[in-house]
Amino acid sequence: MLIRNQFEVAQPVEKVWRFFDDVPQVAACLPGAELTEDLGGERYKGRVSVRMGPVSLRFGGTAAITERDDAAKRIVVDAAGSEEKGRGEASMVVTATLVRSGAGTRVDVDQDLQISGAAAQYGRGMIADVTSVLMRDFAVNMQNGIARAERGEGPATRHAAPARGFRIGLQAALMALKRVFRRFFLPYPSTPA
């Protein structure tokens, strides 16, 4: 399934692009993600923990940067892993493109996600909503990470706690309710002829 998100960072595009050079620092911005080993050649081993309702999933696997286009400010990451208790597998190709937006940067993120097992029981809408919540948290963490680097501070140390299920579930449920409300109570936008 293809999931598209975008978020804004209140920093110039060159500064955000330089931040993307430090993959461990970028990974630390994603809730529930942890790099465990640098395999060299822009390949990494790591874990991602997500709790969705009663189901807690922890995937272990590898990620590789397969494209880094400095001129277009575009990076492509290919990741794959298995749930550590054998409850499924996931693979994803993430393409992030940075675009100047006023004085800041808009980051367009396309995620081509293939998932099987326990996480696949959730519908596309729920997975897209949870992904949107995680992207918002990622944007805030990235903004804070860049600000810390500007002040000469090191990256925030943290343990990769699973992305918190209740808060993410609540925010995803609110997004689903808004979608239902729009579907039933707001007119469909007209399509151009």
Side-chain angles (χ1 to χ4, degrees):
M1 82 182 71
L2 184 62
I3 300 171
R4 291 197 160 117
N5 285 292
Q6 60 178 225
F7 58 88
E8 301 261 343
V9 181
Q11 296 286 345
V13 67
E14 292 296 334
K15 196 175 286 185
V16 177
W17 183 245
R18 281 196 307 273
F19 189 82
F20 270 90
D21 282 342
D22 188 340
V23 174
Q25 195 163 274
V26 172
C29 294
L30 186 63
E34 175 185 22
L35 289 185
T36 57
E37 187 177 349
D38 184 343
L39 301 172
E42 297 211 292
R43 295 181 63 245
Y44 301 89
K45 194 171 182 180
R47 286 190 285 264
V48 176
S49 301
V50 178
R51 185 173 178 87
M52 295 182 9
V55 178
S56 180
L57 301 169
R58 185 172 169 156
F59 290 88
T62 59
I65 296 174
T66 56
E67 181 184 333
R68 186 189 295 270
D69 185 334
D70 288 330
K73 304 289 185 277
R74 189 173 103 107
I75 187 167
V76 180
V77 179
D78 195 348
S82 300
E83 207 282 327
E84 292 183 349
K85 294 181 181 172
R87 294 182 293 179
E89 296 183 344
S91 63
M92 180 165 54
V93 176
V94 181
T95 303
T97 307
L98 281 56
V99 179
R100 189 176 318 278
S101 176
T105 303
R106 187 186 77 228
V107 182
D108 297 324
V109 182
D110 290 345
Q111 300 165 80
D112 188 0
L113 175 66
Q114 307 298 318
I115 196 162
S116 65
Q121 68 183 313
Y122 295 96
R124 174 186 165 73
M126 180 62 149
I127 291 172
D129 290 345
V130 168
T131 302
S132 294
V133 173
L134 292 176
M135 283 292 109
R136 274 191 272 173
D137 290 350
F138 175 78
V140 170
N141 293 340
M142 175 179 278
Q143 179 74 42
N144 292 338
I146 292 171
R148 271 194 308 277
E150 282 187 339
R151 292 190 302 262
E153 299 173 12
T157 56
R158 66 173 187 90
H159 298 288
R164 300 181 63 93
F166 179 74
R167 187 180 60 79
I168 290 173
L170 182 61
Q171 290 177 349
L174 288 173
M175 292 172 78
L177 282 173
K178 287 178 186 174
R179 198 172 39 246
V180 169
F181 179 81
R182 277 193 303 265
R183 185 175 300 151
F184 286 110
F185 298 108
L186 296 178
Y188 283 107
S190 62
T191 51

